[in-house]
Amino acid sequence: MPRSAAYTWAAQTPLARSAGFAVMYAAAIIVGRLTVVGSARMALVWPASGVAVVWLCAQRRARTRWVDLAALIAIGWAGNAVTGAGLAWGGVLAAANLVMVVGFVGLLGRCRPTLWGGGGRRRLSNVWEMGSVLGVAILAAAAGAVIGLTGLWLITGCVSTIAVADWMVRHTTSMFVIGAAGLWFGPTLAGLTGSVRCWWHSLDRAVRQMPARRVGEYLGVVVCSVAAYLVGFVFDGGLPLAFPLVAVTVWAALRLRTGFVVLHSLVLGGAAVLFTLCGLGPLADVSDPQVRALVAQSFVVLTTVMGLVVSLGRDQRAALLAELAARTRELAARNDELAVQKEQAAQHGALMDAIIDSMADGLTLVDARGRVVLRNPAGTHLLGSVATLSEARDRVRHLDGSLVAPDSLPPARALAGEKTGPMDFLVTDAEGHDTRVLRVSATPLTDGHGEPRAVVLYQDVTAERRHRDQLTGFAGSVAHDLQSPLTIVEGWTEVAADTLDGITSGPAVGRARESLDRVTRAAARMRGLITDLLTYATTRDEDLTPGPVDLTGLVADIAADRTDAAVAAGRTVPQITVDRVDEVHADAGAVRQLLDNLISNSIKYTAPGVTPHVSVTGSRLGDMVEVSVADNGVGIPAGQHEAIFGSFHRAHPGDGYAGTGLGLAICHRIVTRHGGTITATDNPGGGSRFTFTLPATSERGALGEITSLPLPTTPAPANATRPDRCIATLVAAA
């Protein structure tokens, strides 16, 4: 293992750090004991307390803290005893030093838990934190004084005031100046990784990247500091030249980094104390050595505090300015974003206004008081300048000419929170003339204050209604005109068949009977086609009258009809099961037509010789009821699961299954007019599965109440109600 790597690994272990701090602590005790003057019991300077503070701060999270505490006591006691303090006084000093250090670390963790040494990982960042460190040092020094000075009094029998002051100043100075340096450089040293060579290369790279002007300023501060302290302490010529010392501290604090200021104060403070103790400088004129050391260390504390106050205040101001600039940029970015959003909203609003104004359908917005607050040009054209619901109510009638109740109008129902689907009304102009049919729907809405509003859409369907009425009349006329001759054909065919029954057999009689059978089958197909066409037209054009529909009972009724038809025809009995299905809100006749077509198809499209099995199940899906009709029939050819709902589409045209191709198209129209969907899939057990949805009774969906003609119930196609091989029986499970 390379030596540098081994050194780095060892420096990262708690025991290795403890060993290093123990050596520094022992050296600091020796240095402090060298400042003992004459027969005095206490040293004039005690850097060991500051080293011990940094020691325990660095080992705060280590599991071997008990080793550090034991080493502090042992080294302190032995160091003081060996250097002439004696066992008793050495033990007192070791105990007092331990109390001070533990008190400093404990108080720092309580008042500044986020700082390095207090439990966190931050370094000093503002003046208040520096003040906290100074206050903690004073309190810790006072706690140590209680033990140390009490021991001194017990040993010597007296304690002077100057001894108390000297104790407080020397320990406060040591813990504050050295402790501040440790708290500043501790996070950096704790985060270093790699070898010493890597650290040196990183420092060298940082210096090389620094502007030359800044490097020159650092060198200038160093040179001027050395010169100022030499002039102030060595070559003063007997003059009190202390002011240059303050000047270089202020210069460094104003211009250079805080870390440099901390190191600058530590080094020059130590030099000031050393010069003073050697009798050099303006502070050496004090005759009493204890007072001289007290004044010198007070000077060190003062210059350190002044430098840190200026430097940390500058850093705090820079941080606040950076935060202000960041927030200013963020605010500017938000303003730009808001401006873009405002412009987009304006463009969107203009586009929406253009779209609304270009709509062929009328649009009106009604507030909670029934007043019209917005309408588009089409709305003005259809309803005129109606200002309130009461004005509109006087001009609106049901299709049968009856009055509309005030609370039955779509806008009034929407203001009450109910969404209404398309409803047709007779509407007159302001003079009571020019009657037209408007299809009206309304949706509830709330404004920004939570007040209810109603969005009303209305469409002129006068021409559509007229066309539909004409088409319905035409369909009825065509059906009547076509069915009358068809009935005659079927009747005379039956007479001819009865006549042939009394004639003896012969080749001509056989051909005649075969021809009559073909005529009968063709007439039946013709009747089924006419019926399907009429049903297909009415499912599209006739109004729906929705209401509660019991699907379970309806399926049971249809199944009973199929059973009766099968028994009467003497055919195979189909098995039809139905689970309990929730009620739906729909047109009863249309739903019966829907289920009758699906069940009839399931029975009809079954392979010969196979008993049809039809299962009807249902489940609730939100505001809709999903119904499935599954069978064991021949299934749907691949690729035709969607095409089978088209008009005149037959999935099995050449397989002997009769039909017009309109049954599933009728089912699709019925479901979609109710706002639902219908799909066809393969049944996992074989056969087909048709699934459709209808509005549940508790949620009326888009249908609402339609006050118009009911959908007529037409008979099912002949080819659906009388399949070739469908003999049914009912197994209804409610």
Side-chain angles (χ1 to χ4, degrees), residues 25 46 49 73 80 89-104 140-152 167 170-171 175:
Y25 183 59
W46 196 251
S49 57
I73 297 175
N80 283 285
W89 181 233
V92 171
L93 291 177
N97 200 59
L98 180 65
V99 170
M100 285 190 299
V101 174
V102 173
F104 182 96
V146 173
I147 296 177
L149 296 179
T150 300
L152 180 64
W167 179 283
R170 68 172 182 164
H171 288 293
M175 288 187 290

PDB file of all heavy atoms in Angstrom, residues 25 46 49 73 80 89-104 140-152 167 170-171 175:
ATOM      1  N   TYR A  25      -2.684  17.927  22.081  1.00  0.00           N
ATOM      2  CA  TYR A  25      -3.128  18.360  23.404  1.00  0.00           C
ATOM      3  C   TYR A  25      -1.972  18.337  24.398  1.00  0.00           C
ATOM      4  O   TYR A  25      -1.795  19.273  25.209  1.00  0.00           O
ATOM      5  CB  TYR A  25      -4.252  17.442  23.873  1.00  0.00           C
ATOM      6  CG  TYR A  25      -4.851  17.812  25.196  1.00  0.00           C
ATOM      7  CD1 TYR A  25      -5.428  19.058  25.407  1.00  0.00           C
ATOM      8  CD2 TYR A  25      -4.834  16.902  26.254  1.00  0.00           C
ATOM      9  CE1 TYR A  25      -5.986  19.384  26.630  1.00  0.00           C
ATOM     10  CE2 TYR A  25      -5.394  17.220  27.485  1.00  0.00           C
ATOM     11  CZ  TYR A  25      -5.970  18.471  27.668  1.00  0.00           C
ATOM     12  OH  TYR A  25      -6.517  18.796  28.891  1.00  0.00           O
ATOM     13  N   TRP A  46      -3.186  29.368  28.099  1.00  0.00           N
ATOM     14  CA  TRP A  46      -3.559  27.950  28.155  1.00  0.00           C
ATOM     15  C   TRP A  46      -4.236  27.526  26.835  1.00  0.00           C
ATOM     16  O   TRP A  46      -5.442  27.423  26.716  1.00  0.00           O
ATOM     17  CB  TRP A  46      -4.478  27.682  29.339  1.00  0.00           C
ATOM     18  CG  TRP A  46      -4.592  26.226  29.672  1.00  0.00           C
ATOM     19  CD1 TRP A  46      -5.663  25.426  29.493  1.00  0.00           C
ATOM     20  CD2 TRP A  46      -3.580  25.419  30.230  1.00  0.00           C
ATOM     21  NE1 TRP A  46      -5.397  24.158  29.911  1.00  0.00           N
ATOM     22  CE2 TRP A  46      -4.093  24.115  30.380  1.00  0.00           C
ATOM     23  CE3 TRP A  46      -2.248  25.656  30.644  1.00  0.00           C
ATOM     24  CZ2 TRP A  46      -3.361  23.068  30.890  1.00  0.00           C
ATOM     25  CZ3 TRP A  46      -1.520  24.600  31.169  1.00  0.00           C
ATOM     26  CH2 TRP A  46      -2.077  23.319  31.287  1.00  0.00           C
ATOM     27  N   SER A  49      -7.006  24.181  26.293  1.00  0.00           N
ATOM     28  CA  SER A  49      -8.472  24.137  26.334  1.00  0.00           C
ATOM     29  C   SER A  49      -9.074  24.291  24.934  1.00  0.00           C
ATOM     30  O   SER A  49     -10.062  23.643  24.593  1.00  0.00           O
ATOM     31  CB  SER A  49      -8.996  25.232  27.271  1.00  0.00           C
ATOM     32  OG  SER A  49      -8.524  26.504  26.854  1.00  0.00           O
ATOM     33  N   ILE A  73      -8.343  13.333  30.443  1.00  0.00           N
ATOM     34  CA  ILE A  73      -8.060  13.357  31.882  1.00  0.00           C
ATOM     35  C   ILE A  73      -6.626  12.904  32.150  1.00  0.00           C
ATOM     36  O   ILE A  73      -5.870  13.541  32.912  1.00  0.00           O
ATOM     37  CB  ILE A  73      -9.057  12.464  32.632  1.00  0.00           C
ATOM     38  CG1 ILE A  73     -10.486  13.009  32.475  1.00  0.00           C
ATOM     39  CG2 ILE A  73      -8.695  12.369  34.103  1.00  0.00           C
ATOM     40  CD1 ILE A  73     -11.548  12.130  33.086  1.00  0.00           C
ATOM     41  N   ASN A  80       0.317  18.247  33.658  1.00  0.00           N
ATOM     42  CA  ASN A  80       0.467  19.281  34.681  1.00  0.00           C
ATOM     43  C   ASN A  80       1.368  18.800  35.820  1.00  0.00           C
ATOM     44  O   ASN A  80       2.190  19.557  36.357  1.00  0.00           O
ATOM     45  CB  ASN A  80      -0.905  19.666  35.228  1.00  0.00           C
ATOM     46  CG  ASN A  80      -1.664  20.579  34.278  1.00  0.00           C
ATOM     47  OD1 ASN A  80      -1.364  21.759  34.161  1.00  0.00           O
ATOM     48  ND2 ASN A  80      -2.644  20.012  33.574  1.00  0.00           N
ATOM     49  N   TRP A  89      -2.772  19.587  42.353  1.00  0.00           N
ATOM     50  CA  TRP A  89      -3.127  20.698  41.465  1.00  0.00           C
ATOM     51  C   TRP A  89      -3.283  20.225  40.023  1.00  0.00           C
ATOM     52  O   TRP A  89      -4.167  20.691  39.293  1.00  0.00           O
ATOM     53  CB  TRP A  89      -2.063  21.784  41.576  1.00  0.00           C
ATOM     54  CG  TRP A  89      -2.316  23.002  40.734  1.00  0.00           C
ATOM     55  CD1 TRP A  89      -1.460  23.568  39.850  1.00  0.00           C
ATOM     56  CD2 TRP A  89      -3.497  23.816  40.688  1.00  0.00           C
ATOM     57  NE1 TRP A  89      -2.008  24.667  39.247  1.00  0.00           N
ATOM     58  CE2 TRP A  89      -3.300  24.841  39.765  1.00  0.00           C
ATOM     59  CE3 TRP A  89      -4.719  23.744  41.366  1.00  0.00           C
ATOM     60  CZ2 TRP A  89      -4.246  25.812  39.490  1.00  0.00           C
ATOM     61  CZ3 TRP A  89      -5.653  24.725  41.078  1.00  0.00           C
ATOM     62  CH2 TRP A  89      -5.432  25.739  40.149  1.00  0.00           C
ATOM     63  N   GLY A  90      -2.480  19.260  39.595  1.00  0.00           N
ATOM     64  CA  GLY A  90      -2.631  18.712  38.251  1.00  0.00           C
ATOM     65  C   GLY A  90      -3.966  18.023  38.063  1.00  0.00           C
ATOM     66  O   GLY A  90      -4.613  18.128  37.011  1.00  0.00           O
ATOM     67  N   GLY A  91      -4.426  17.287  39.105  1.00  0.00           N
ATOM     68  CA  GLY A  91      -5.741  16.652  39.003  1.00  0.00           C
ATOM     69  C   GLY A  91      -6.865  17.659  38.944  1.00  0.00           C
ATOM     70  O   GLY A  91      -7.851  17.489  38.198  1.00  0.00           O
ATOM     71  N   VAL A  92      -6.727  18.748  39.746  1.00  0.00           N
ATOM     72  CA  VAL A  92      -7.756  19.792  39.707  1.00  0.00           C
ATOM     73  C   VAL A  92      -7.815  20.435  38.333  1.00  0.00           C
ATOM     74  O   VAL A  92      -8.893  20.665  37.769  1.00  0.00           O
ATOM     75  CB  VAL A  92      -7.476  20.843  40.800  1.00  0.00           C
ATOM     76  CG1 VAL A  92      -8.408  22.036  40.629  1.00  0.00           C
ATOM     77  CG2 VAL A  92      -7.655  20.239  42.179  1.00  0.00           C
ATOM     78  N   LEU A  93      -6.649  20.758  37.772  1.00  0.00           N
ATOM     79  CA  LEU A  93      -6.630  21.379  36.441  1.00  0.00           C
ATOM     80  C   LEU A  93      -7.194  20.435  35.371  1.00  0.00           C
ATOM     81  O   LEU A  93      -7.907  20.864  34.461  1.00  0.00           O
ATOM     82  CB  LEU A  93      -5.203  21.778  36.085  1.00  0.00           C
ATOM     83  CG  LEU A  93      -4.603  22.930  36.903  1.00  0.00           C
ATOM     84  CD1 LEU A  93      -3.161  23.171  36.489  1.00  0.00           C
ATOM     85  CD2 LEU A  93      -5.427  24.203  36.727  1.00  0.00           C
ATOM     86  N   ALA A  94      -6.876  19.130  35.476  1.00  0.00           N
ATOM     87  CA  ALA A  94      -7.406  18.172  34.499  1.00  0.00           C
ATOM     88  C   ALA A  94      -8.925  18.074  34.594  1.00  0.00           C
ATOM     89  O   ALA A  94      -9.639  18.044  33.572  1.00  0.00           O
ATOM     90  CB  ALA A  94      -6.764  16.806  34.722  1.00  0.00           C
ATOM     91  N   ALA A  95      -9.473  18.033  35.838  1.00  0.00           N
ATOM     92  CA  ALA A  95     -10.925  17.962  36.005  1.00  0.00           C
ATOM     93  C   ALA A  95     -11.607  19.229  35.506  1.00  0.00           C
ATOM     94  O   ALA A  95     -12.654  19.192  34.842  1.00  0.00           O
ATOM     95  CB  ALA A  95     -11.259  17.714  37.478  1.00  0.00           C
ATOM     96  N   ALA A  96     -11.025  20.396  35.830  1.00  0.00           N
ATOM     97  CA  ALA A  96     -11.610  21.658  35.381  1.00  0.00           C
ATOM     98  C   ALA A  96     -11.595  21.758  33.861  1.00  0.00           C
ATOM     99  O   ALA A  96     -12.561  22.214  33.231  1.00  0.00           O
ATOM    100  CB  ALA A  96     -10.846  22.828  36.006  1.00  0.00           C
ATOM    101  N   ASN A  97     -10.489  21.331  33.252  1.00  0.00           N
ATOM    102  CA  ASN A  97     -10.400  21.385  31.788  1.00  0.00           C
ATOM    103  C   ASN A  97     -11.429  20.464  31.142  1.00  0.00           C
ATOM    104  O   ASN A  97     -12.048  20.803  30.129  1.00  0.00           O
ATOM    105  CB  ASN A  97      -8.989  21.006  31.354  1.00  0.00           C
ATOM    106  CG  ASN A  97      -8.683  21.500  29.955  1.00  0.00           C
ATOM    107  OD1 ASN A  97      -8.738  22.698  29.690  1.00  0.00           O
ATOM    108  ND2 ASN A  97      -8.358  20.581  29.068  1.00  0.00           N
ATOM    109  N   LEU A  98     -11.648  19.266  31.744  1.00  0.00           N
ATOM    110  CA  LEU A  98     -12.648  18.350  31.203  1.00  0.00           C
ATOM    111  C   LEU A  98     -14.051  18.940  31.291  1.00  0.00           C
ATOM    112  O   LEU A  98     -14.841  18.845  30.344  1.00  0.00           O
ATOM    113  CB  LEU A  98     -12.585  17.020  31.949  1.00  0.00           C
ATOM    114  CG  LEU A  98     -13.587  15.953  31.489  1.00  0.00           C
ATOM    115  CD1 LEU A  98     -13.299  15.524  30.062  1.00  0.00           C
ATOM    116  CD2 LEU A  98     -13.550  14.745  32.431  1.00  0.00           C
ATOM    117  N   VAL A  99     -14.360  19.573  32.428  1.00  0.00           N
ATOM    118  CA  VAL A  99     -15.680  20.200  32.585  1.00  0.00           C
ATOM    119  C   VAL A  99     -15.875  21.292  31.552  1.00  0.00           C
ATOM    120  O   VAL A  99     -16.950  21.433  30.943  1.00  0.00           O
ATOM    121  CB  VAL A  99     -15.832  20.738  34.021  1.00  0.00           C
ATOM    122  CG1 VAL A  99     -17.085  21.607  34.127  1.00  0.00           C
ATOM    123  CG2 VAL A  99     -15.897  19.600  35.014  1.00  0.00           C
ATOM    124  N   MET A 100     -14.849  22.107  31.341  1.00  0.00           N
ATOM    125  CA  MET A 100     -14.965  23.190  30.358  1.00  0.00           C
ATOM    126  C   MET A 100     -15.224  22.648  28.953  1.00  0.00           C
ATOM    127  O   MET A 100     -16.105  23.131  28.235  1.00  0.00           O
ATOM    128  CB  MET A 100     -13.686  24.038  30.364  1.00  0.00           C
ATOM    129  CG  MET A 100     -13.546  24.969  31.546  1.00  0.00           C
ATOM    130  SD  MET A 100     -12.176  26.123  31.354  1.00  0.00           S
ATOM    131  CE  MET A 100     -10.811  25.015  31.241  1.00  0.00           C
ATOM    132  N   VAL A 101     -14.447  21.652  28.588  1.00  0.00           N
ATOM    133  CA  VAL A 101     -14.564  21.126  27.214  1.00  0.00           C
ATOM    134  C   VAL A 101     -15.915  20.457  26.998  1.00  0.00           C
ATOM    135  O   VAL A 101     -16.600  20.695  25.996  1.00  0.00           O
ATOM    136  CB  VAL A 101     -13.406  20.155  26.934  1.00  0.00           C
ATOM    137  CG1 VAL A 101     -13.600  19.498  25.579  1.00  0.00           C
ATOM    138  CG2 VAL A 101     -12.080  20.876  26.980  1.00  0.00           C
ATOM    139  N   VAL A 102     -16.317  19.603  27.938  1.00  0.00           N
ATOM    140  CA  VAL A 102     -17.610  18.931  27.804  1.00  0.00           C
ATOM    141  C   VAL A 102     -18.748  19.947  27.829  1.00  0.00           C
ATOM    142  O   VAL A 102     -19.727  19.841  27.073  1.00  0.00           O
ATOM    143  CB  VAL A 102     -17.780  17.877  28.913  1.00  0.00           C
ATOM    144  CG1 VAL A 102     -19.178  17.295  28.893  1.00  0.00           C
ATOM    145  CG2 VAL A 102     -16.748  16.770  28.758  1.00  0.00           C
ATOM    146  N   GLY A 103     -18.639  20.950  28.685  1.00  0.00           N
ATOM    147  CA  GLY A 103     -19.664  21.994  28.722  1.00  0.00           C
ATOM    148  C   GLY A 103     -19.742  22.773  27.423  1.00  0.00           C
ATOM    149  O   GLY A 103     -20.830  23.088  26.930  1.00  0.00           O
ATOM    150  N   PHE A 104     -18.586  23.093  26.827  1.00  0.00           N
ATOM    151  CA  PHE A 104     -18.572  23.816  25.553  1.00  0.00           C
ATOM    152  C   PHE A 104     -19.278  23.007  24.464  1.00  0.00           C
ATOM    153  O   PHE A 104     -20.151  23.521  23.753  1.00  0.00           O
ATOM    154  CB  PHE A 104     -17.123  24.110  25.157  1.00  0.00           C
ATOM    155  CG  PHE A 104     -16.988  24.903  23.888  1.00  0.00           C
ATOM    156  CD1 PHE A 104     -16.840  26.277  23.926  1.00  0.00           C
ATOM    157  CD2 PHE A 104     -17.013  24.284  22.649  1.00  0.00           C
ATOM    158  CE1 PHE A 104     -16.715  27.016  22.760  1.00  0.00           C
ATOM    159  CE2 PHE A 104     -16.896  25.007  21.476  1.00  0.00           C
ATOM    160  CZ  PHE A 104     -16.745  26.377  21.534  1.00  0.00           C
ATOM    161  N   ALA A 140     -18.550  28.114  29.455  1.00  0.00           N
ATOM    162  CA  ALA A 140     -17.708  26.951  29.741  1.00  0.00           C
ATOM    163  C   ALA A 140     -16.533  27.332  30.627  1.00  0.00           C
ATOM    164  O   ALA A 140     -16.160  26.585  31.557  1.00  0.00           O
ATOM    165  CB  ALA A 140     -17.215  26.331  28.436  1.00  0.00           C
ATOM    166  N   ALA A 141     -15.928  28.510  30.371  1.00  0.00           N
ATOM    167  CA  ALA A 141     -14.827  28.972  31.224  1.00  0.00           C
ATOM    168  C   ALA A 141     -15.304  29.213  32.645  1.00  0.00           C
ATOM    169  O   ALA A 141     -14.591  28.907  33.622  1.00  0.00           O
ATOM    170  CB  ALA A 141     -14.217  30.244  30.645  1.00  0.00           C
ATOM    171  N   ALA A 142     -16.501  29.739  32.803  1.00  0.00           N
ATOM    172  CA  ALA A 142     -17.047  29.959  34.145  1.00  0.00           C
ATOM    173  C   ALA A 142     -17.283  28.633  34.857  1.00  0.00           C
ATOM    174  O   ALA A 142     -17.019  28.506  36.066  1.00  0.00           O
ATOM    175  CB  ALA A 142     -18.345  30.752  34.043  1.00  0.00           C
ATOM    176  N   ALA A 143     -17.786  27.611  34.125  1.00  0.00           N
ATOM    177  CA  ALA A 143     -17.991  26.304  34.747  1.00  0.00           C
ATOM    178  C   ALA A 143     -16.666  25.697  35.189  1.00  0.00           C
ATOM    179  O   ALA A 143     -16.561  25.099  36.275  1.00  0.00           O
ATOM    180  CB  ALA A 143     -18.704  25.375  33.763  1.00  0.00           C
ATOM    181  N   GLY A 144     -15.624  25.852  34.381  1.00  0.00           N
ATOM    182  CA  GLY A 144     -14.310  25.341  34.783  1.00  0.00           C
ATOM    183  C   GLY A 144     -13.722  26.120  35.933  1.00  0.00           C
ATOM    184  O   GLY A 144     -12.988  25.559  36.769  1.00  0.00           O
ATOM    185  N   ALA A 145     -14.020  27.415  36.014  1.00  0.00           N
ATOM    186  CA  ALA A 145     -13.497  28.238  37.109  1.00  0.00           C
ATOM    187  C   ALA A 145     -14.033  27.791  38.454  1.00  0.00           C
ATOM    188  O   ALA A 145     -13.341  27.884  39.483  1.00  0.00           O
ATOM    189  CB  ALA A 145     -13.847  29.709  36.863  1.00  0.00           C
ATOM    190  N   VAL A 146     -15.268  27.308  38.461  1.00  0.00           N
ATOM    191  CA  VAL A 146     -15.842  26.845  39.725  1.00  0.00           C
ATOM    192  C   VAL A 146     -14.997  25.715  40.305  1.00  0.00           C
ATOM    193  O   VAL A 146     -14.679  25.688  41.512  1.00  0.00           O
ATOM    194  CB  VAL A 146     -17.296  26.385  39.511  1.00  0.00           C
ATOM    195  CG1 VAL A 146     -17.839  25.746  40.785  1.00  0.00           C
ATOM    196  CG2 VAL A 146     -18.158  27.553  39.078  1.00  0.00           C
ATOM    197  N   ILE A 147     -14.574  24.783  39.445  1.00  0.00           N
ATOM    198  CA  ILE A 147     -13.758  23.658  39.928  1.00  0.00           C
ATOM    199  C   ILE A 147     -12.308  24.076  40.130  1.00  0.00           C
ATOM    200  O   ILE A 147     -11.682  23.809  41.172  1.00  0.00           O
ATOM    201  CB  ILE A 147     -13.850  22.488  38.941  1.00  0.00           C
ATOM    202  CG1 ILE A 147     -15.292  21.969  38.883  1.00  0.00           C
ATOM    203  CG2 ILE A 147     -12.895  21.364  39.332  1.00  0.00           C
ATOM    204  CD1 ILE A 147     -15.501  20.869  37.887  1.00  0.00           C
ATOM    205  N   GLY A 148     -11.738  24.766  39.138  1.00  0.00           N
ATOM    206  CA  GLY A 148     -10.325  25.112  39.215  1.00  0.00           C
ATOM    207  C   GLY A 148     -10.005  26.073  40.333  1.00  0.00           C
ATOM    208  O   GLY A 148      -9.056  25.861  41.112  1.00  0.00           O
ATOM    209  N   LEU A 149     -10.766  27.147  40.460  1.00  0.00           N
ATOM    210  CA  LEU A 149     -10.477  28.136  41.501  1.00  0.00           C
ATOM    211  C   LEU A 149     -10.842  27.619  42.879  1.00  0.00           C
ATOM    212  O   LEU A 149     -10.210  27.991  43.886  1.00  0.00           O
ATOM    213  CB  LEU A 149     -11.220  29.430  41.187  1.00  0.00           C
ATOM    214  CG  LEU A 149     -10.787  30.127  39.890  1.00  0.00           C
ATOM    215  CD1 LEU A 149     -11.603  31.390  39.656  1.00  0.00           C
ATOM    216  CD2 LEU A 149      -9.302  30.453  39.924  1.00  0.00           C
ATOM    217  N   THR A 150     -11.863  26.771  42.946  1.00  0.00           N
ATOM    218  CA  THR A 150     -12.166  26.148  44.239  1.00  0.00           C
ATOM    219  C   THR A 150     -11.010  25.251  44.676  1.00  0.00           C
ATOM    220  O   THR A 150     -10.601  25.244  45.856  1.00  0.00           O
ATOM    221  CB  THR A 150     -13.465  25.332  44.141  1.00  0.00           C
ATOM    222  OG1 THR A 150     -14.534  26.205  43.767  1.00  0.00           O
ATOM    223  CG2 THR A 150     -13.779  24.675  45.475  1.00  0.00           C
ATOM    224  N   GLY A 151     -10.476  24.484  43.749  1.00  0.00           N
ATOM    225  CA  GLY A 151      -9.310  23.659  44.081  1.00  0.00           C
ATOM    226  C   GLY A 151      -8.111  24.500  44.474  1.00  0.00           C
ATOM    227  O   GLY A 151      -7.354  24.145  45.397  1.00  0.00           O
ATOM    228  N   LEU A 152      -7.909  25.636  43.756  1.00  0.00           N
ATOM    229  CA  LEU A 152      -6.802  26.531  44.115  1.00  0.00           C
ATOM    230  C   LEU A 152      -6.972  27.087  45.522  1.00  0.00           C
ATOM    231  O   LEU A 152      -6.003  27.199  46.298  1.00  0.00           O
ATOM    232  CB  LEU A 152      -6.718  27.668  43.086  1.00  0.00           C
ATOM    233  CG  LEU A 152      -5.607  28.695  43.317  1.00  0.00           C
ATOM    234  CD1 LEU A 152      -4.228  28.033  43.207  1.00  0.00           C
ATOM    235  CD2 LEU A 152      -5.722  29.843  42.300  1.00  0.00           C
ATOM    236  N   TRP A 167      -8.100  33.525  34.769  1.00  0.00           N
ATOM    237  CA  TRP A 167      -8.703  32.236  34.396  1.00  0.00           C
ATOM    238  C   TRP A 167      -9.756  32.423  33.290  1.00  0.00           C
ATOM    239  O   TRP A 167      -9.744  31.709  32.285  1.00  0.00           O
ATOM    240  CB  TRP A 167      -9.328  31.590  35.635  1.00  0.00           C
ATOM    241  CG  TRP A 167     -10.000  30.267  35.329  1.00  0.00           C
ATOM    242  CD1 TRP A 167     -11.197  30.092  34.730  1.00  0.00           C
ATOM    243  CD2 TRP A 167      -9.498  28.973  35.593  1.00  0.00           C
ATOM    244  NE1 TRP A 167     -11.499  28.770  34.614  1.00  0.00           N
ATOM    245  CE2 TRP A 167     -10.451  28.043  35.137  1.00  0.00           C
ATOM    246  CE3 TRP A 167      -8.331  28.491  36.202  1.00  0.00           C
ATOM    247  CZ2 TRP A 167     -10.280  26.668  35.249  1.00  0.00           C
ATOM    248  CZ3 TRP A 167      -8.164  27.108  36.311  1.00  0.00           C
ATOM    249  CH2 TRP A 167      -9.128  26.208  35.833  1.00  0.00           C
ATOM    250  N   ARG A 170      -8.024  33.754  29.817  1.00  0.00           N
ATOM    251  CA  ARG A 170      -7.167  32.831  29.083  1.00  0.00           C
ATOM    252  C   ARG A 170      -7.954  31.653  28.500  1.00  0.00           C
ATOM    253  O   ARG A 170      -7.711  31.238  27.372  1.00  0.00           O
ATOM    254  CB  ARG A 170      -6.039  32.337  29.972  1.00  0.00           C
ATOM    255  CG  ARG A 170      -6.450  31.432  31.114  1.00  0.00           C
ATOM    256  CD  ARG A 170      -5.255  30.839  31.816  1.00  0.00           C
ATOM    257  NE  ARG A 170      -5.669  29.934  32.881  1.00  0.00           N
ATOM    258  CZ  ARG A 170      -4.866  29.048  33.450  1.00  0.00           C
ATOM    259  NH1 ARG A 170      -3.610  28.960  33.057  1.00  0.00           N
ATOM    260  NH2 ARG A 170      -5.301  28.256  34.416  1.00  0.00           N
ATOM    261  N   HIS A 171      -8.915  31.116  29.275  1.00  0.00           N
ATOM    262  CA  HIS A 171      -9.686  29.988  28.732  1.00  0.00           C
ATOM    263  C   HIS A 171     -10.707  30.436  27.684  1.00  0.00           C
ATOM    264  O   HIS A 171     -10.937  29.721  26.699  1.00  0.00           O
ATOM    265  CB  HIS A 171     -10.373  29.254  29.877  1.00  0.00           C
ATOM    266  CG  HIS A 171      -9.433  28.458  30.723  1.00  0.00           C
ATOM    267  ND1 HIS A 171      -8.755  27.361  30.273  1.00  0.00           N
ATOM    268  CD2 HIS A 171      -9.020  28.634  32.025  1.00  0.00           C
ATOM    269  CE1 HIS A 171      -7.992  26.858  31.219  1.00  0.00           C
ATOM    270  NE2 HIS A 171      -8.130  27.621  32.308  1.00  0.00           N
ATOM    271  N   MET A 175     -10.521  28.881  23.949  1.00  0.00           N
ATOM    272  CA  MET A 175     -11.656  28.147  23.372  1.00  0.00           C
ATOM    273  C   MET A 175     -12.306  28.902  22.226  1.00  0.00           C
ATOM    274  O   MET A 175     -12.752  28.294  21.244  1.00  0.00           O
ATOM    275  CB  MET A 175     -12.681  27.846  24.464  1.00  0.00           C
ATOM    276  CG  MET A 175     -12.232  26.774  25.445  1.00  0.00           C
ATOM    277  SD  MET A 175     -13.520  26.275  26.611  1.00  0.00           S
ATOM    278  CE  MET A 175     -13.635  27.730  27.629  1.00  0.00           C
TER     279      MET A 175
END
